[in-house]
């Protein structure tokens, strides 16, 4: 039995089944496609479900894969056991109605004994207790002794999901590790709870369909679905007890040892748990980011964030200071990059994402841990063993501690979390954030059924901006149906045809006018679409309109053209961002109108000035090339084959509209566009900012808006030059000279102020009150900045002991408090942060801080005296 490496074993398996006529496919992404029931791919057969279910035609009737998988259901066991991990690779060979049990068992045994050269006397199998066909094949065809074929019940050896659908018996292959790993019982065999027998290959024979009444019927074309755990096989071949001793994983572990300076002791030391968790999570985060999953607060993004932050926290436990995970991702890529080329291709991006997330967490981790320590101290005093849900939510919302991380930290110390209370707080926050949107849309909720009575509206706006139509119905703003409407009123028109684009896909609706034969004029301010009914909100400017009128609907051309230019620019911007930042960039949202565009996209850190310039230059270059912009309605699968991009969570029908800007950009889109990129004129990015975790926003303008901005800038330059009495050509020099003068005057003023405060510091002690042996200074100031108060307290503390200071600065109807204690008082147990909470509360405020100095804000300047009295009371 040769000691084979993990990468070698993977290739041996795939090559073997390729020789048996199997189509060798690379691993599917960890992101499930067209399967909302899954968050992440967690099994080798999961991406193949559409083939097994007959929903899609497989590329071949025989297939073999090595599928990367993520499972976090047992995350609390990772690090504490030898075999649990969140990331693993699953080898598999599959048949979609082609071969069945005979071939699956034959190849399973042949690969195990003749290719891997596992000793035959060390191999056992289990079968479903009623599967006589499998028993006959193992015993009479393979020649396995009857005593090494173990029959197990439905719970162990019968595969089915839910209440119905394809299912069937399975047969598992086990390796006997020897008596020294067993329980010592005479009847010890596969199925026993001890560690002697290791199951490494599961052969599932999908031959039945479970009906709704619970009965089983034969499938006309039975399938084969097998799964062989690569890490588990490597453990067997390398003679190790733990997946963390497998060659490729051990390589990553050694790097953790080097970075931490902590020696791994084969699971014997307390620090080994942290090392194992870091190693496992490194593998998961590297592969997840390699599939363009980015840290966030929901779904699979949250799983990634949790793994990165959990690994970072365990790094702290090992004594590692600062971000360290991104450099260790390199070792994972070095070990797995040949089998998964996308890891090598995205190496820089993976490092940047991990580093950005770790730095973000590092900035709050100390504060968060300090808060947890305070909460534990409060629970010790109160005798409680459960952290309140609201406090756990504060840790999540303010300090970025995932609830699972908070639970883990507290459980280590013997405490729990009120998870129901936490969930209630989370729900309340979501309800508040949605309230505004719900109020905005409330007036339209359910109203589409009132418009349906009049049939659908034919949209002609892709081909024309002028359309003759019939006014099918009129509705008041309260959705009452009307026969006619007069000048000065606002109403909703439904036409049989319209050139007006309705608000959709981030693009605002067209604006324009509707005319009738009675000299009536209506201004169209907005258009919404409900079940293909176009509802035009109009102001009647002149005359009157009646149901049945023949009308001319006319979109305002400049508005349509500028909006179309901005929409086409978003497509070009999307493509340029992917070229500059990487293929992980995906559209997260957009807003397009005649004034400009807003584009939200997935990215893990702020763009540099150079990156912004690169993107801007790419878009303007394409504009200058006057590239034709074309649209085509096509089958969705054909569109995908041509490389058209779609929004990940968007639902599409069988037919889609594809907008192509030459060969540069191709996207699914229902909006209006220019016919040539040159019509955009020019493109200018105004700002780039973060709007949520892992989501950035670009605001930009094109064409006419750039010209309007230039005119405004020229006006500002002229007015500024006049204000500082400078020639426009010398404006920069004059402004710089004035700035230098202001800085010099501020420095001079600060020096005078510092000298005054130094004098005041000596006089303050004369007015100090002595309370329980402590000298208390209370002083109110007008319009002092908090830094001034800090400097003043530092001057007093520099040459004095046994002094407590409570300063208040009143400015603009508000108060800023500062509590500062000399070091000797802190050593005696006084705490400025705790004191200031009570002191500020007396004036209607709150705050906190460290033991030696703390600050707070308050609303009521008239209560400063009460706050000073509270300070005396506390001392």
């Amino acid at each position: 039995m040769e000691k084979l490496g993990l990468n070698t074993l993977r290739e041996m398996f795939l090559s073997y089944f390729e020789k048996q006529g199997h189509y060798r496919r690379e691993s599917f992404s960890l992101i499930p496609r067209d399967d909302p029931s899954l968050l992440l791919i967690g099994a080798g057969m999961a991406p193949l479900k559409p083939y097994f279910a007959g929903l899609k035609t497989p590329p071949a009737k025989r297939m073999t894969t090595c599928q990367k998988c993520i499972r976090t259901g047992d995350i609390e066991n990772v690090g504490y056991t030898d075999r649990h991990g969140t990331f693993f690779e699953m080898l598999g060979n599959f048949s979609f109605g082609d071969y069945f049990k005979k071939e699956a068992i034959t190849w399973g045994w042949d690969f195990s004994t003749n290719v891997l050269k596992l000793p035959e006397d060390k191999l056992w199998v289990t079968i479903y207790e009623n599967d006589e066909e499998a028993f006959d094949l193992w015993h009479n065809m393979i020649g396995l002794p009857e005593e090494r074929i173990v029959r197990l019940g439905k719970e162990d050896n019968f595969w089915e999901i839910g209440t119905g659908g394809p299912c069937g018996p399975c047969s598992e292959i086990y390796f006997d590790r020897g008596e020294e790993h067993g329980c010592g019982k005479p009847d010890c065999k596969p199925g026993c709870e001890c560690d002697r027998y290791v199951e490494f290959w599961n052969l599932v024979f999908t031959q039945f369909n479970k009906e709704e009444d619970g009965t089983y019927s034969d499938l006309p074309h039975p399938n084969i679905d097998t799964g062989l755990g690569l890490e588990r096989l490597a453990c067997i071949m390398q003679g190790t007890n733990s997946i963390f001793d497998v060659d490729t994983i051990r390589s990553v572990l050694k790097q953790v040892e080097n970075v931490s300076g902590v020696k791994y002791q084969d699971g014997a030391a307390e620090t080994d748990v942290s090392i194992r968790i870091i190693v496992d999570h490194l593998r998961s985060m590297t592969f997840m980011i390699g599939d363009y999953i980015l840290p966030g607060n929901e779904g699979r993004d949250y799983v990634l964030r949790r793994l990165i932050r959990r690994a970072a926290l365990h790094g702290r436990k090992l004594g590692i200071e600062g971000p360290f995970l991104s450099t260790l991702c390199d070792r994972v890529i070095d070990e797995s990059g040949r089998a998964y080329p996308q890891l090598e291709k995205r190496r820089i991006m993976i490092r940047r994402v991990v580093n950005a997330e770790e730095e973000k967490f590092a900035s709050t981790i100390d504060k968060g841990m300090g808060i947890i320590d305070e909460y534990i101290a409060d629970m010790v005093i109160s005798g409680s063993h459960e952290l309140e849900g609201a406090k756990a939510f504060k840790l999540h919302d303010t300090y970025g501690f995932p609830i699972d991380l908070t639970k883990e930290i507290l459980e280590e110390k013997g405490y729990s979390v009120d998870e129901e209370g936490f969930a209630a707080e989370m729900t309340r926050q979501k309800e508040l954030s949605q309230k505004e949107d719900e109020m905005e849309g409330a007036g339209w909720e359910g109203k589409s059924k009132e418009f349906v009575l009049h049939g659908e509206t034919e949209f002609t706006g892709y081909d024309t901006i002028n359309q003759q139509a019939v006014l099918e119905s009129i509705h008041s703003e309260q959705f009452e149906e009307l026969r006619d409407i007069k000048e000065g009123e606002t109403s909703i028109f439904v036409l049989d045809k319209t050139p007006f684009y309705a608000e959709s896909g981030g693009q605002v609706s067209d604006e324009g006018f509707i005319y009738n034969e009675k000299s009536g004029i209506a201004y169209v301010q907005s258009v919404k679409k409900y079940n293909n009914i176009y509802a035009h909100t109009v102001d009647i400017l002149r005359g009157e309109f009646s149901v049945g009128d023949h009308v001319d609907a006319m979109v305002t051309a400049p508005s349509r053209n500028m909006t179309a230019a901005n929409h086409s620019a978003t497509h070009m911007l999307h493509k340029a961002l992917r070229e500059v930042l990487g293929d992980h960039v995906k559209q997260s949202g957009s807003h397009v109108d005649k004034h400009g565009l807003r584009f939200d996209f997935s990215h893990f850190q702020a763009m540099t000035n150079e990156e912004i310039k690169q993107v801007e230059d790419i878009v303007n270059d394409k504009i200058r090339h006057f590239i034709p912009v074309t649209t085509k309605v096509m089958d969705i699968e054909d569109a995908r084959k041509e490389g058209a991009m779609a929004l990940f969570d968007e639902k599409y029908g069988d037919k889609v509209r594809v907008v192509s800007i030459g060969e540069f950009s191709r996207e699914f889109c229902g909006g209006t566009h220019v016919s040539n990129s040159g019509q955009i004129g020019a493109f200018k990015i105004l700002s780039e900012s973060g709007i949520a975790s892992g989501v950035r926003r670009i605001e930009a303008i094109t064409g006419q808006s750039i010209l309007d901005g230039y005119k405004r800038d020229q006006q500002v330059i002229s007015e500024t030059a006049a204000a500082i009495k400078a020639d426009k050509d010398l404006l920069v020099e004059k402004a710089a000279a004035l700035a230098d003068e202001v800085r010099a005057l501020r420095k001079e003023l600060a020096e005078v102020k510092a000298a005054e405060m130094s004098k005041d510091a000596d006089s303050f002690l004369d007015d100090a009150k002595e309370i329980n042996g402590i000298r208390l200074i209370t002083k109110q100031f007008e319009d002092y900045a908090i830094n001034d108060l800090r400097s003043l307290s530092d001057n007093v503390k520099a040459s004095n002991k046994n002094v407590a200071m409570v300063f208040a600065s009143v400015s603009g109807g508000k108060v800023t408090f500062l509590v500062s204690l000399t070091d000797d008082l802190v050593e005696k147990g006084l705490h400025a942060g705790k004191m200031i909470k009570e002191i500020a509360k007396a004036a209607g405020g709150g705050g906190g801080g460290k033991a030696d100095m703390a600050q707070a804000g308050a609303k009521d300047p008239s209560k400063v005296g009460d706050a000073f009295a509270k300070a005396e009371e506390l001392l």
Side-chain angles (χ1 to χ4, degrees):
M1 193 169 127
E2 187 180 352
K3 196 172 185 178
L4 300 171
L6 182 140
N7 287 322
T8 300
L9 289 168
R10 183 196 300 110
E11 181 57 35
M12 288 171 69
F13 181 91
L14 296 173
S15 295
Y16 175 83
F17 280 99
E18 212 172 7
K19 290 175 183 175
Q20 313 308 323
H22 289 64
Y23 166 65
R24 176 171 172 170
R25 193 205 189 279
E26 65 180 23
S27 173
F28 290 84
S29 168
L30 285 167
I31 303 175
R33 183 172 178 179
D34 301 326
D35 191 348
S37 67
L38 295 177
L39 197 63
L40 290 158
I41 294 298
M45 63 79 62
L48 308 177
K49 284 199 293 186
Y51 303 146
F52 284 118
L55 301 175
K56 288 185 177 181
T57 303
K61 288 193 172 184
R62 300 179 180 185
M63 185 184 290
T64 184
T65 65
C66 182
Q67 176 64 43
K68 51 197 172 185
C69 303
I70 296 280
R71 288 184 192 170
T72 57
D74 290 327
I75 192 170
E76 65 277 359
N77 292 322
V78 173
Y80 293 92
T81 70
D82 289 335
R83 297 177 192 169
H84 279 98
T86 57
F87 175 83
F88 61 96
E89 298 177 67
M90 185 63 73
L91 297 163
N93 58 287
F94 310 95
S95 165
F96 309 109
D98 186 32
Y99 62 83
F100 199 47
K101 290 183 187 180
K102 178 182 177 181
E103 293 84 353
I105 289 173
T106 298
W107 290 328
W109 184 257
D110 182 50
F111 181 76
S112 299
T113 58
N114 294 323
V115 179
L116 296 179
K117 300 190 185 305
L118 290 170
E120 293 188 18
D121 62 344
K122 291 285 188 180
L123 297 179
W124 291 61
V125 299
T126 62
I127 61 171
Y128 177 51
E129 56 189 355
N130 296 330
D131 192 352
E132 298 303 330
E133 182 184 2
F135 176 81
D136 179 66
L137 290 167
W138 280 118
H139 183 50
N140 295 319
M141 181 183 73
I142 299 298
L144 198 63
E146 184 174 351
E147 61 269 19
R148 295 218 309 274
I149 303 173
V150 180
R151 294 177 184 265
L152 295 176
K154 197 170 185 181
E155 185 176 336
D156 296 298
N157 276 67
F158 195 93
W159 181 85
E160 61 185 345
I161 297 179
T163 57
C167 56
C170 56
S171 180
E172 298 173 321
I173 307 177
Y174 284 75
F175 180 77
D176 180 1
R177 300 170 67 208
E179 291 183 6
E180 65 274 19
H181 296 283
C183 57
K185 297 177 181 177
D187 61 344
C188 182
K189 57 187 176 183
C192 182
E193 295 294 325
C194 72
D195 289 333
R196 176 172 176 175
Y197 298 94
V198 178
E199 178 263 314
F200 63 94
W201 203 344
N202 186 16
L203 316 178
V204 179
F205 313 128
T206 312
Q207 63 188 91
F208 302 120
N209 188 69
K210 188 176 182 181
E211 308 296 343
E212 291 183 6
D213 61 2
T215 60
Y216 296 89
S217 59
D218 291 333
L219 285 174
H221 302 290
N223 304 310
I224 289 294
D225 158 26
T226 85
L228 191 161
L230 180 57
E231 290 85 356
R232 190 169 291 191
L233 178 62
C235 283
I236 294 171
M237 299 304 299
Q238 295 174 27
T240 70
N241 294 325
S242 168
I243 62 170
F244 297 97
D245 290 322
V246 167
D247 60 332
T248 56
I249 303 175
R250 186 75 184 200
S251 173
V252 180
L253 189 147
K254 286 179 179 177
Q255 285 295 94
V256 177
E257 285 183 313
N258 293 338
V259 171
S260 66
V262 177
K263 193 71 178 171
Y264 182 69
Q265 299 177 41
D266 296 324
E270 192 174 316
T271 52
D272 286 359
V273 171
S274 292
I275 291 174
R276 286 177 165 188
I277 287 172
I278 293 169
V279 170
D280 170 76
H281 291 7
L282 275 167
R283 299 178 75 218
S284 291
M285 68 180 76
T286 301
F287 275 87
M288 290 176 78
I289 298 168
D291 280 346
Y292 296 139
I293 299 169
L294 297 178
N297 290 328
E298 293 185 358
R300 64 184 69 91
D301 300 341
Y302 173 76
V303 173
L304 175 59
R305 166 161 289 167
R306 179 186 175 194
L307 292 171
I308 294 175
R309 296 192 169 189
R310 193 168 187 255
L313 193 62
H314 280 277
R316 291 293 186 97
K317 290 183 178 182
L318 295 177
I320 303 174
E321 295 294 334
F324 69 98
L325 294 170
S326 61
T327 57
L328 295 176
C329 290
D330 278 334
R331 182 51 61 95
V332 178
I333 297 170
D334 292 343
E335 293 294 341
S336 302
R338 180 171 291 185
Y340 300 97
Q342 72 272 21
L343 296 180
E344 186 61 56
K345 179 182 175 184
R346 297 160 192 167
R347 182 188 291 264
I348 294 175
M349 185 200 81
I350 291 167
R351 290 188 60 171
R352 285 179 176 174
V353 172
V354 172
N355 190 64
E357 180 64 20
E358 196 177 3
E359 283 187 344
K360 187 182 299 180
F361 188 45
S363 66
T364 61
I365 191 171
D366 288 331
K367 288 182 181 178
M369 291 299 292
I371 296 290
I372 289 176
D373 288 341
E374 284 186 19
Y375 289 162
I376 290 174
D378 291 341
M379 286 191 287
V380 169
I381 293 171
S382 66
S384 171
H385 290 278
E386 183 179 69
L387 181 67
E388 295 171 20
K391 290 181 176 179
F393 180 75
K394 180 181 179 182
L395 283 164
H396 160 82
D397 197 44
T398 307
Y399 298 102
F401 271 72
I403 181 64
D404 309 281
L405 207 56
T406 300
K407 281 171 55 184
E408 186 174 324
I409 294 167
L410 287 170
E411 284 170 2
E412 287 180 0
K413 300 177 185 293
Y415 296 91
S416 62
V417 177
D418 175 11
E419 295 185 58
E420 288 187 7
F422 173 85
E425 290 291 326
M426 182 70 82
T427 300
R428 190 171 71 87
Q429 186 199 51
K430 288 182 179 179
E431 288 174 349
L432 287 173
S433 66
Q434 292 171 357
K435 190 173 182 181
E436 187 175 331
D437 291 339
E438 289 173 358
M439 290 178 66
E440 184 178 340
W444 295 92
E445 189 67 32
K447 296 300 177 184
S448 60
K449 62 175 181 275
E450 299 185 14
F451 299 130
V452 172
L453 299 173
H454 304 278
E456 295 185 352
T457 306
E458 180 186 346
F459 176 62
T460 61
Y462 291 139
D463 303 314
T464 182
I465 58 172
N466 301 325
Q467 177 65 54
Q468 292 185 339
V470 175
L471 179 53
E472 291 280 355
S473 66
I474 302 173
H475 299 261
S476 72
E477 291 183 278
Q478 289 73 40
F479 307 102
E480 296 172 356
E481 195 162 350
L482 307 173
R483 291 300 304 167
D484 48 48
I485 190 83
K486 295 181 179 179
E487 183 177 321
E489 297 180 333
T490 298
S491 67
I492 298 168
F493 282 5
V494 176
L495 312 179
D496 66 333
K497 300 176 182 178
T498 184
F500 286 90
Y501 181 81
E503 179 183 327
S504 178
Q507 179 178 329
V508 300
S509 63
D510 284 323
E511 57 186 69
F513 297 90
I514 295 176
Y515 304 88
N516 67 7
E517 297 168 339
K518 298 176 287 188
S519 300
I521 303 175
Y523 167 65
V524 179
Q525 55 172 277
S526 66
V527 185
K528 291 181 182 290
K529 183 170 67 171
Y530 303 94
N531 294 338
N532 292 323
I533 306 300
Y534 283 64
H536 309 68
T537 299
V538 300
D539 297 325
I540 310 303
L541 304 182
R542 189 176 73 189
E544 63 179 38
F545 285 80
S546 303
V547 173
D549 281 355
H550 289 267
V551 299
D552 289 321
M554 304 179 68
V555 174
T556 303
S559 173
R560 159 69 78 87
N561 293 338
M562 288 189 288
T563 301
N566 287 324
H567 199 152
S568 297
T570 63
H571 286 219
M572 297 167 73
L573 170 61
H574 191 185
K575 177 64 174 178
L577 285 168
R578 289 170 63 84
E579 286 191 1
V580 173
L581 302 179
D583 290 343
H584 65 281
V585 169
K586 296 286 191 300
Q587 179 177 338
S588 301
S590 67
H591 178 82
V592 176
D593 60 24
K594 64 182 178 182
H595 303 293
L597 63 97
R598 186 183 73 220
F599 188 79
D600 300 339
F601 59 99
S602 56
H603 190 49
F604 47 86
Q605 62 185 15
M607 292 176 66
T608 64
N609 290 335
E610 179 58 30
E611 288 170 337
I612 292 172
K613 182 179 182 302
Q614 281 182 273
V615 168
E616 207 173 64
D617 288 346
I618 289 172
V619 175
N620 279 310
D621 178 67
K622 299 304 177 185
I623 289 172
R624 288 191 295 270
H625 276 78
F626 284 71
I627 303 170
V629 179
T630 59
T631 60
K632 185 178 179 182
V633 177
M634 55 201 306
D635 290 336
I636 189 168
E637 289 305 321
D638 291 338
R640 285 192 170 122
K641 288 175 185 175
E642 289 191 11
M645 289 192 64
L647 292 181
F648 186 80
D649 294 324
E650 194 78 12
K651 292 183 179 179
Y652 299 95
D654 294 334
K655 295 282 186 180
V656 292
R657 183 171 181 261
V658 177
V659 175
S660 300
I661 304 175
E663 295 300 316
F664 178 63
S665 166
R666 188 169 285 118
E667 293 190 26
F668 294 13
C669 184
T672 61
H673 289 270
V674 296
S675 59
N676 187 292
S677 66
Q679 293 170 345
I680 298 171
F683 175 79
K684 176 66 180 173
I685 294 176
L686 300 178
S687 66
E688 190 272 351
S689 60
I691 60 168
S693 179
V695 181
R696 310 294 300 175
R697 170 172 291 174
I698 280 179
E699 296 191 29
I701 52 176
T702 64
Q704 184 63 44
S705 294
I706 294 177
L707 181 59
D708 293 341
Y710 169 76
K711 291 177 180 176
R712 287 194 299 271
D713 290 346
Q714 289 299 307
Q715 181 68 23
V716 169
I717 290 170
S718 297
E719 291 176 3
T720 303
I724 64 174
K725 297 181 174 58
D727 187 284
K728 282 198 287 187
D729 295 335
L730 300 174
L731 186 59
V732 175
E733 290 86 347
K734 184 63 181 287
L738 285 173
D740 289 341
E741 186 178 342
V742 169
R743 276 193 293 272
L745 288 170
R746 282 179 175 164
K747 183 180 179 183
E748 185 179 334
L749 182 61
E751 289 171 353
V752 171
K753 202 169 188 180
E756 297 246 345
M757 286 195 296
S758 183
K759 280 186 208 171
D760 291 342
D762 295 332
S763 65
F764 289 162
L765 286 168
D766 297 335
D767 300 326
K769 289 184 180 181
E770 188 166 319
I771 303 173
N772 287 332
I774 298 171
R775 289 180 290 174
L776 172 65
I777 299 173
T778 56
K779 184 73 175 176
Q780 179 175 328
F781 303 87
E782 297 295 326
D783 296 322
Y784 265 52
I786 190 67
N787 287 337
D788 294 336
L789 301 184
R790 288 176 180 272
S791 298
L792 193 54
S793 77
D794 288 342
N795 287 338
V796 174
K797 289 160 72 172
S799 55
N800 292 281
K801 288 187 176 183
N802 207 35
V803 178
M805 287 160 279
V806 181
F807 295 151
S809 176
V810 178
S811 178
K814 294 183 179 180
V815 190
T816 301
F817 286 104
L818 180 83
V819 173
S820 184
L821 306 175
T822 53
D823 291 342
D824 58 313
L825 294 182
V826 175
E827 290 171 4
K828 290 177 181 176
L830 274 72
H831 195 291
K834 293 179 180 178
M835 289 177 65
I836 205 164
K837 288 181 181 178
E838 299 298 321
I839 291 169
K841 191 187 296 183
K850 297 180 180 178
D852 64 329
M853 188 178 292
Q855 69 184 64
K859 302 174 183 176
D860 192 348
S862 69
K863 300 289 187 182
V864 169
D866 294 346
F868 289 161
K870 173 57 72 172
E872 293 183 27
E873 179 187 324
L874 290 172
L875 290 185

